[in-house]
Amino acid sequence: MDSLITAAAHALAAGDPLGALKRVALRDDAPALALRGIAMAQLGDFDRAKSLLRRAARAFGPKEARARARCIVAEAEIALVSRDVGQAAGALDAARATLEAHGDRLNAAHARNLEARRLLLIGRLDEAERTLPGEDAVPLPPALRTSRDLVAAGIAIRRLRVATARAAIASAQQAARVAGIPALTAEVESAARLLDAPAARLFSRDGERLLLLDDVEALFASETLVVDACRNAVRAAGAVVPFTTRPVLFALVRALAQAWPADVSRQTLVAAAFRGKHADESHRARLRVEIGRLRVELRDLADVTATKRGFALAPRAGRGVAVLVPPVEERHATLAALLADGESWSSSALAIALGASARTVQRALEELAAQGKVQPLGHGRARRWMKPAVPGFPTQLLLPAPLPNV
């Protein structure tokens, strides 16, 4: 590797894409094309970056499988930052296997980081944790260690292991300081602010209040019966009853929990579950059926008792009842939360992340767009969706710095 290629690689590792381009911008050999592609990715020109990396992969000879694999990893990283979460999967896994087979443990660990980040993004936490390179598997440079720690913190936050998340964020902050890359430091600080931001609102007999992640973790560990509208589940003392695919039952249990210890009239339950303005005999019959199903689902945590005017929630073991909702509750809140990172998403990527049909996601996006809460960019297959930028709240997902020997 000649001196210009080496200098450009070091510039990229230090977060200086312009310095790298000054050295290789006029060269068309395979290593220079790869470095130019990574530099353009760091500058945000993803289309140009992908084109350069593909040219580099074709330019490397048949005996340079490791170099081609590095180009594939870089392209997969661009796909991930572009929120093409489906595109980044198969080729990345094959490239990682090639790198491991050729003894390139550092770039293989980088590929593992990317795959773990993709799995975290679409909510597959167990797989993300298994994929993430272990702390002692291979000594990582500071930038790559920061990336790994951020993914570990994200997994811990999603699982409400706040102490673990704080430790991972602290480790990432230390590694980012050593790396000395301002963009990476900004990403870590943005993640750190999540730990001290309101995570949910709590409704209970004592009133309403905002909760931090630590408070939510403590609530879930308590004996309180929690109707969790953030994840559509009912929790108590470690037991969880999911209602993700049972929206009618969850609407009923939420209405009952919000009124506890009082009962709820049949008319109110019909309106909450079936959106009916007046309860006729067909509504009442359906309500009895759904209440029966709810009793079966909650049999270990609570009972639903009939009263003269309706039904009441009766938690077992003398538990209290609380309702947990997002800090700002709105229709299609989960979809809006994904778009809150400030990146542009395709509707197909959102469908993968949400586990919903593409048509369902498209209808939700059109509804949010009509309300001015999201905006489309482009047309046809190139159309992307994003939230309008909020001044003072940058949410850019920064591309981690590449490895010096890419």
Side-chain angles (χ1 to χ4, degrees), residues 223-225 236-237 260 299-303 314-321:
E223 291 293 323
T224 303
L225 181 75
W260 182 86
R299 59 186 176 275
D300 295 329
L301 302 180
D303 192 13
R316 302 194 187 281
R319 295 186 175 103
V321 176

Side-chain angles (χ1 to χ4, degrees), residues 155-227:
I155 294 171
I157 288 172
R158 293 282 289 273
R159 287 180 166 163
L160 282 177
R161 298 172 182 170
V162 182
T164 302
R166 290 191 186 279
I169 290 291
S171 177
Q173 288 172 324
Q174 182 178 2
R177 282 194 293 271
V178 175
I181 301 173
L184 200 57
T185 301
E187 185 179 359
V188 175
E189 294 306 319
S190 177
R193 286 194 292 270
L194 290 176
L195 297 176
D196 298 314
R201 281 183 298 145
L202 179 70
F203 293 92
S204 67
R205 192 161 52 175
D206 298 327
E208 173 189 352
R209 63 188 177 98
L210 288 171
L211 300 184
L212 302 180
L213 279 171
D214 303 84
D215 303 321
V216 176
E217 183 182 24
L219 177 67
F220 285 174
S222 72
E223 291 293 323
T224 303
L225 181 75
V226 181
V227 177

Side-chain angles (χ1 to χ4, degrees), residues 286-304:
R286 186 180 175 191
L287 179 61
R288 286 193 296 270
V289 171
E290 298 298 346
I291 289 291
R293 291 171 176 165
L294 182 60
R295 285 177 175 139
V296 172
E297 294 293 330
L298 296 178
R299 59 186 176 275
D300 295 329
L301 302 180
D303 192 13
V304 180

Side-chain angles (χ1 to χ4, degrees), residues 328-344:
V328 178
E329 198 170 14
E330 60 180 7
R331 185 168 166 80
H332 309 305
T334 306
L335 176 59
L338 281 174
L339 292 168
D341 64 2
E343 296 297 322
S344 59

Side-chain angles (χ1 to χ4, degrees), residues 32-243:
L33 287 171
L35 291 171
R36 285 169 58 192
I38 294 171
M40 295 308 295
Q42 287 193 4
L43 290 171
D45 190 345
F46 296 145
D47 290 337
R48 180 65 175 154
K50 286 189 286 188
S51 175
L52 288 166
L53 287 167
R54 287 169 184 168
R55 285 177 59 192
R58 290 194 297 268
F60 282 116
K63 295 183 179 180
E64 297 174 296
R66 183 171 64 173
R68 286 200 305 274
R70 290 173 179 170
C71 291
I72 293 170
V73 170
E75 189 177 348
E77 184 171 10
I78 293 169
L80 179 61
V81 175
S82 303
R83 295 301 186 263
D84 291 330
V85 291
Q87 177 185 336
L92 180 59
D93 189 57
R96 178 184 56 77
T98 299
L99 292 169
E100 289 177 344
H102 284 80
D104 192 347
R105 298 175 65 198
L106 207 56
N107 278 294
H110 182 45
R112 282 187 174 276
N113 263 353
L114 293 176
E115 177 60 10
R117 194 166 192 164
R118 185 187 76 86
L119 292 167
L120 172 62
L121 199 61
I122 61 179
R124 292 157 62 176
L125 303 186
D126 291 338
E127 293 177 59
E129 195 166 40
R130 288 194 298 268
T131 301
L132 197 64
E135 294 187 16
D136 301 325
V138 57
L140 301 178
L144 191 52
R145 194 164 68 248
T146 303
S147 177
R148 189 219 32 220
D149 289 340
L150 283 174
V151 178
I155 294 171
I157 288 172
R158 293 282 289 273
R159 287 180 166 163
L160 282 177
R161 298 172 182 170
V162 182
T164 302
R166 290 191 186 279
I169 290 291
S171 177
Q173 288 172 324
Q174 182 178 2
R177 282 194 293 271
V178 175
I181 301 173
L184 200 57
T185 301
E187 185 179 359
V188 175
E189 294 306 319
S190 177
R193 286 194 292 270
L194 290 176
L195 297 176
D196 298 314
R201 281 183 298 145
L202 179 70
F203 293 92
S204 67
R205 192 161 52 175
D206 298 327
E208 173 189 352
R209 63 188 177 98
L210 288 171
L211 300 184
L212 302 180
L213 279 171
D214 303 84
D215 303 321
V216 176
E217 183 182 24
L219 177 67
F220 285 174
S222 72
E223 291 293 323
T224 303
L225 181 75
V226 181
V227 177
D228 181 4
C230 299
R231 293 177 174 85
N232 285 9
V234 176
R235 307 167 180 271
V240 181
V241 179
F243 287 92

